[in-house]
């Protein structure tokens, strides 16, 4: 089988992981996390022995022909038989600096660590993100003010506490305008993905990027990566011990507030008020434009309608968009299952998009796929 010897870039990435700082997170060593990497031709597994047929022993690990079916996104992956690995689809990323690619594996490796130390604070319901307000100017403005203050705190070595208190004041104002499930989702996503981004940026010796007005229209999930990492960086300036409190269920912002206290709500920044108004309008316009762009995509289309709803059993939340009609647009990956049928659409590979409609976000009665090649379907097993 070709690919039994790992390519040079993969060996460089492994060396980067071996030299990771020892204090990224208590009891977390990225060099000890199994790796599952698809580089375009074969999938490499190292750090664990596979428990299923189809793998062939290679140099420094195991090799699977093509992309292993369990690897559909950059995430922690549970392989048949039990091994859990940091999975990365590295096709197209091999030109990155080895340190950057290693940082991505540190991020996903931390998710493997989180699975080994489960926490209620990481149990985020992705469906709550779909109803989180994206076109409310007041919410967008408070987030922009919070981002500006967090950025100021991160950029200061002395007196950063005042800016951090301002950020927390604007967060309180923003949370006041959200439903409880939206607050819960953001806090838990900050624990799940924000901490992974925190460990990733510590590995790179960088700080998360926060842009003030640029964050006014941020998607809540993407925002939580950076806001959670920012809060963790600020907490790390004090005494250790907060990591255990986070794992036990305490939100990052509440831990920082307990350390620093509170501050009155500052006066609004006029340019951020205007940035938020424009961001809310642009978000709504982008949603309309996405639907229009889908309608105009060239190439063949597959349309499925069923009276018995299919279940959404796999999707990529980072590449999922809510459209004005209530439909969901999948731009990377979606997998559906129902009586006698299973449908997997690797949208990115097909070069198109998939529009799903149904009575709920996880139930689909109509699917339209615009693609350059045909998706595959296979009979279900049982039922």
């Amino acid at each position: 089988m070709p690919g039994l010897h790992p390519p040079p870039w993969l060996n460089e990435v492994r060396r980067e992981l071996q030299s990771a700082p020892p204090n990224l997170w208590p009891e977390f060593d990225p060099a000890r996390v199994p790796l599952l990497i698809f580089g375009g031709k074969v999938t490499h597994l190292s750090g664990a022995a596979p428990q299923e047929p189809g793998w062939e022993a290679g140099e420094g690990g195991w090799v699977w022909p093509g992309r292993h079916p369990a690897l559909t996104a950059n995430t922690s992956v549970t392989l048949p038989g039990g091994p859990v690995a940091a999975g990365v689809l590295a096709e197209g990323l091999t030109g990155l600096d080895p340190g950057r690619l290693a940082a991505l594996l540190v991020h996903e490796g931390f998710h493997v660590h989180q699975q080994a130390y489960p926490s209620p604070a990481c149990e985020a319901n992705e469906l709550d993100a779909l109803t989180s307000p994206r076109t409310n100017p007041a919410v967008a403005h408070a987030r922009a003010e919070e981002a500006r203050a967090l950025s100021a705190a991160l950029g200061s070595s002395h007196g950063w506490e005042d800016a951090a208190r301002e950020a927390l004041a604007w967060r309180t104002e923003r949370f006041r305008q959200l439903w409880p499930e939206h607050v819960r989702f953001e806090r838990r996503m900050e624990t799940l993905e924000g901490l992974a981004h925190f460990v990733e940026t510590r590995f790179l010796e960088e700080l998360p990027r926060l842009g003030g007005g640029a964050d006014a229209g941020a998607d809540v999930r993407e925002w939580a990566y950076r806001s959670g990492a920012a809060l963790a960086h600020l907490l790390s300036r004090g005494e250790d011990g907060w990591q255990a409190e986070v794992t036990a269920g305490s939100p990052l912002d509440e831990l920082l507030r307990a350390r620093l206290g509170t501050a009155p709500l500052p006066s609004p920044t006029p340019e951020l008020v205007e940035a938020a108004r424009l961001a809310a309008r642009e978000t709504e316009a982008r949603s309309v434009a996405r639907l229009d762009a889908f309608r105009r995509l060239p190439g063949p289309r597959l349309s499925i309608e069923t009276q018995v709803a299919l279940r959404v059993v796999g999707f990529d939340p980072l590449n999922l968009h809510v459209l004005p009609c209530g439909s969901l647009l999948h731009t990377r990956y979606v997998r559906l299952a129902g009586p006698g049928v299973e449908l997997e659409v690797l949208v990115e590979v097909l070069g198109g998009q998939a529009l799903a409609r149904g009575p709920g976000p996880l139930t689909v009665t109509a699917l339209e796929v615009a693609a350059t090649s045909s998706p595959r379907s296979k009979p279900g097993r049982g039922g």
Side-chain angles (χ1 to χ4, degrees), residues 162-182:
D162 288 341
R165 291 186 190 99
E166 284 191 16
L168 293 172
W170 281 111
R171 170 168 287 227
T172 298
E173 173 65 15
R174 181 166 58 87
F175 280 2
R176 187 181 62 81
Q177 302 174 70
L178 300 179
W179 291 105
E181 58 266 31
H182 298 145

Side-chain angles (χ1 to χ4, degrees), residues 128 131-146 167-184 186-187 216 220 265-266 268 273 276 280:
D128 290 334
T131 58
S132 185
R134 295 286 310 279
T135 57
N136 183 327
V139 172
H141 168 243
R143 181 169 49 242
E145 297 278 9
E146 181 183 346
L168 293 172
W170 281 111
R171 170 168 287 227
T172 298
E173 173 65 15
R174 181 166 58 87
F175 280 2
R176 187 181 62 81
Q177 302 174 70
L178 300 179
W179 291 105
E181 58 266 31
H182 298 145
V183 173
R184 181 176 61 246
E186 183 171 329
R187 282 174 162 166
V220 61
L265 188 68
V273 173

Side-chain angles (χ1 to χ4, degrees), residues 127 130-131 284 287-288 290-291 295 312 320-330 354-366:
L127 299 184
L130 301 181
T131 58
E284 188 169 3
S287 182
V288 173
R290 278 197 180 99
L291 179 59
R295 296 297 184 206
V312 178
L320 176 64
H321 307 281
V322 182
L323 300 187
C325 58
S327 300
L328 296 179
L329 187 66
H330 298 267
L355 186 70
R357 299 187 298 275
L362 295 182
T363 50
V364 174
T365 54

Side-chain angles (χ1 to χ4, degrees), residues 94-172:
T94 56
L96 284 178
D97 175 83
R100 293 282 169 187
L101 191 49
L104 179 58
L105 284 161
V106 168
H107 182 113
E108 303 306 340
F110 189 71
H111 288 318
V112 176
H113 174 82
Q114 287 174 316
Q115 283 188 245
Y117 297 87
S119 166
C122 293
E123 297 173 0
N125 184 352
E126 294 284 358
L127 299 184
D128 290 334
L130 301 181
T131 58
S132 185
R134 295 286 310 279
T135 57
N136 183 327
V139 172
H141 168 243
R143 181 169 49 242
E145 297 278 9
E146 181 183 346
R148 175 196 57 77
L150 282 174
S151 181
L154 288 172
S156 303
S157 56
H158 301 289
W160 59 270
E161 294 89 347
D162 288 341
R165 291 186 190 99
E166 284 191 16
L168 293 172
W170 281 111
R171 170 168 287 227
T172 298

Side-chain angles (χ1 to χ4, degrees), residues 125-336:
N125 184 352
E126 294 284 358
L127 299 184
D128 290 334
L130 301 181
T131 58
S132 185
R134 295 286 310 279
T135 57
N136 183 327
V139 172
H141 168 243
R143 181 169 49 242
E145 297 278 9
E146 181 183 346
R148 175 196 57 77
L150 282 174
S151 181
L154 288 172
S156 303
S157 56
H158 301 289
W160 59 270
E161 294 89 347
D162 288 341
R165 291 186 190 99
E166 284 191 16
L168 293 172
W170 281 111
R171 170 168 287 227
T172 298
E173 173 65 15
R174 181 166 58 87
F175 280 2
R176 187 181 62 81
Q177 302 174 70
L178 300 179
W179 291 105
E181 58 266 31
H182 298 145
V183 173
R184 181 176 61 246
F185 174 82
E186 183 171 329
R187 282 174 162 166
R188 293 187 173 185
M189 190 55 59
E190 285 177 332
T191 304
L192 178 65
E193 293 291 358
L195 288 181
H197 190 48
F198 164 69
V199 172
E200 175 187 359
T201 51
R202 286 195 91 176
F203 174 81
L204 291 169
E205 298 182 338
E206 294 180 354
L207 293 171
R209 297 187 177 97
L210 296 151
D215 282 316
D219 171 79
V220 61
R221 196 180 194 278
E222 186 271 335
W223 157 257
Y225 277 64
R226 294 177 292 112
S227 63
L231 293 168
H233 274 282
L234 295 177
L235 282 166
S236 68
R237 293 179 177 181
E239 297 178 359
D240 279 342
W242 63 271
Q243 298 95 330
E245 294 182 76
V246 170
T247 303
S250 296
L252 290 162
D253 62 300
E254 288 191 352
L255 288 174
L256 189 61
R257 184 177 288 107
R259 285 193 177 185
L260 302 181
T262 59
L265 188 68
S267 299
T269 309
E271 54 265 33
L272 293 185
V273 173
E274 178 62 14
R277 185 185 68 81
L278 292 175
R281 190 170 65 186
E282 289 170 1
T283 297
E284 188 169 3
R286 275 198 305 270
S287 182
V288 173
R290 278 197 180 99
L291 179 59
D292 182 60
F294 174 80
R295 296 297 184 206
R296 291 186 287 103
L297 281 175
R301 290 183 180 246
L302 170 69
S303 295
I304 299 174
E305 294 190 10
T306 175
Q307 292 182 336
V308 179
L310 301 176
R311 294 176 291 107
V312 178
V313 294
F315 67 96
D316 181 358
L318 286 178
N319 292 277
L320 176 64
H321 307 281
V322 182
L323 300 187
C325 58
S327 300
L328 296 179
L329 187 66
H330 298 267
T331 58
R332 191 173 186 280
Y333 162 75
V334 63
R335 186 155 56 95
L336 308 175

